[in-house]
Amino acid sequence: MLITDDFLPVPVPESLNATYLVPTGGLPAVSARTAVRGLAGRLAEPVHGLAKQMLDSPLMSVDVRPIDEFPELPPDLLTAFGATEAQLDRLAAASHLVVVQAEYRPGWPPAHEWAARAVAAAVAEAVGSDVVDVFGLQFLDPAAALRSLPDAEGRVRLVDWVLVPYSSDADGLWFTTKGLRRFGLLELQTQGVPDHLTRAWGAVMTGAARRLLRDWTDGLAGEEVPAFVQLPVLATVTGHDIAVAYGNPEQHGATAPVLLRLELDPATDPDADSFLSLRPPAGHPGPAGRYFAAACATLFAGIQPDVRYARPGDAMSRAIATARAGLDDIRARFRAGQLPAETQLVVKYGLPGDDGPEYVWAGVTSWDTAERIVGASASDANTDPTVRIGSPVVVEATDVVDWAVLNGAGVIEGGWTQAVLDAGEAPTP
């Protein structure tokens, strides 16, 4: 094995396992094979065929067990990862669990995860129950579980498989991924992230996970599973990586890449996990948090990834009026393909909130009618849980308060309200 300063050898596990649970009130009235057959025409290939094949092989097992024979799932952690009261109540009332387990070699496709989730979702849908992803400690409704599986072109959203939780300590925020081990790769972590980058750095971590997972599976493409895969010490992350991870490859803009140094942090406790840490490149002056802030500014191409609430002011009113006056012209140029090459058109619009409108940005993907804009969100919203970075959005033109044309260096046209905010002429909470 060749080891150089440019690559980091990361150990490869011999095999991978997936476990999903379906709580039931008594013995299920349908078999797993019958439930999976019911997905014909609804689940894309090769996943549907893969699920049927693994059901008939020793690589998958489906058992029905009394719930008291299975270790109790911690309600507090399930709640932390999004469980609702109704889901927890159904779990508490269940008498049995359908336990779906699958095993497969590391590599792509992750047959163990795709097949086990498909089978569990099919059973849960047939009996009117939930899917519990044991690895992620998450409840999934059957429809969401099925949507997370590859489409007809083999595409998946990484955010359906990898979470990015964070916690606070004396040095700032500590981010980790939770889900890369599904694919055999060590989880990522970043420490010392400034508090104001909560949403932005979560997106950067997701984009970094996507890039490293691609390198990882490329290293596993041979017939034999290697003992190590060599990952680049300097990981390159782009806006495109983030957009693809969120399932919107067309919303990639033209952002410049950023570099993050990859280091192996082995666990000192045998029961703890090792991590791959993301740090600034060697020789970067100043604290790590300064580099992380600069990386976010680069990847988000001059727009603020954190939500800003604007209060009325003369400067802001003039900025909004200027932006709205130019909507017809920028739409015509966008539709005619007259914007500069390698640029992205974004719009800023308001979402209703208890404390007034919340203003967020979205990248424009189509603008067929003057009244309605179709795009992908460039930030997470506080007031609407469905608006997440990369998620599809439909924006009414009457809600638009600003627009901008971006290239790799930032805003090259428009962005009037952002300029007012950045200049401090309009107060923000």
Side-chain angles (χ1 to χ4, degrees):
M1 177 182 60
L2 177 65
I3 300 177
T4 72
D5 292 339
D6 297 327
F7 292 92
L8 180 69
V10 179
V12 180
E14 293 183 2
S15 64
L16 301 173
N17 296 276
T19 301
Y20 290 84
L21 309 176
V22 179
T24 63
L27 296 176
V30 64
S31 71
R33 286 177 176 81
T34 300
V36 170
R37 283 198 298 269
L39 296 179
R42 298 173 51 205
L43 191 61
E45 296 297 347
V47 180
H48 189 228
L50 181 66
K52 292 190 295 183
Q53 291 171 18
M54 291 194 73
L55 266 174
D56 293 328
S57 79
L59 295 174
M60 178 179 284
S61 64
V62 181
D63 301 313
V64 181
R65 304 183 197 173
I67 196 167
D68 55 10
E69 292 184 5
F70 201 88
E72 182 182 6
L73 296 170
D76 53 341
L77 289 180
L78 289 169
T79 300
F81 286 110
T84 66
E85 288 293 332
Q87 290 169 331
L88 292 173
D89 289 345
R90 286 194 290 272
L91 177 63
S95 62
H96 290 76
L97 292 173
V98 179
V99 183
V100 182
Q101 295 181 300
E103 180 181 0
Y104 201 65
R105 56 161 277 176
W108 199 265
H112 60 299
E113 284 286 351
W114 288 357
R117 185 174 285 198
V119 171
V123 172
E125 185 178 70
V127 301
S129 185
D130 308 295
V131 177
V132 181
D133 171 12
V134 173
F135 180 94
L137 283 177
Q138 273 192 301
F139 274 92
L140 303 170
D141 69 74
L146 292 172
R147 284 196 303 271
S148 71
L149 295 166
D151 63 15
E153 297 181 25
R155 298 172 301 189
V156 295
R157 299 190 331 151
L158 191 61
V159 290
D160 292 328
W161 298 89
V162 176
L163 305 175
V164 186
Y166 65 90
S167 58
S168 182
D169 59 27
D171 297 323
L173 298 176
W174 174 34
F175 283 81
T176 61
T177 59
K178 185 176 179 60
L180 288 176
R181 284 186 180 273
R182 301 179 190 272
F183 312 104
L185 182 58
L186 297 178
E187 302 291 356
L188 305 180
Q189 70 171 358
T190 310
Q191 294 174 296
V193 178
D195 290 349
H196 71 280
L197 298 179
T198 302
R199 297 181 185 85
W201 197 254
V204 174
M205 288 279 286
T206 305
R210 182 258 173 183
R211 173 59 66 99
L212 289 170
L213 183 59
R214 188 180 66 178
D215 293 336
W216 175 255
T217 54
D218 285 348
L220 297 170
E223 293 185 5
E224 298 294 328
V225 177
F228 294 86
V229 167
Q230 298 215 60
L231 296 179
V233 168
L234 284 180
T236 303
V237 184
T238 67
H240 179 69
D241 291 315
I242 296 172
V244 171
Y246 281 85
N248 288 278
E250 71 282 355
Q251 169 55 27
H252 59 81
T255 64
V258 300
L259 295 176
L260 295 168
R261 178 165 49 96
L262 199 64
E263 290 188 1
L264 176 61
D265 281 330
T268 55
D269 183 341
D271 295 326
D273 292 331
S274 298
F275 284 96
L276 293 172
S277 291
L278 296 175
R279 295 190 170 96
H284 169 71
R290 185 182 303 165
Y291 184 84
F292 299 149
C296 289
T298 297
L299 289 171
F300 288 95
I303 63 174
Q304 294 291 336
D306 290 320
V307 173
R308 295 284 194 96
Y309 294 89
R311 296 175 184 173
D314 291 340
M316 184 61 71
S317 297
R318 290 195 298 271
I320 294 173
T322 301
R324 285 179 169 166
L327 279 178
D328 289 342
D329 176 69
I330 194 64
R331 173 178 177 259
R333 290 161 56 199
F334 172 79
R335 287 177 51 79
Q338 295 175 350
L339 298 182
E342 301 298 322
T343 61
Q344 171 73 45
L345 175 63
V346 296
V347 294
K348 188 179 192 180
Y349 66 104
L351 294 170
D354 293 338
D355 298 321
E358 177 184 0
Y359 294 102
V360 292
W361 289 90
V364 178
T365 55
S366 65
W367 198 345
D368 294 338
T369 64
E371 298 79 15
R372 180 168 293 186
I373 305 165
V374 178
S377 181
S379 59
D380 291 347
N382 284 336
T383 54
D384 188 340
T386 67
V387 178
R388 292 292 177 263
I389 295 176
S391 63
V393 293
V394 177
V395 180
E396 299 297 327
T398 53
D399 294 332
V400 172
V401 297
D402 201 356
W403 56 266
V405 178
L406 313 176
N407 66 7
V411 176
I412 63 172
E413 183 181 356
W416 295 275
T417 65
Q418 198 67 46
V420 172
L421 289 170
D422 292 341
E425 295 181 51
T428 57

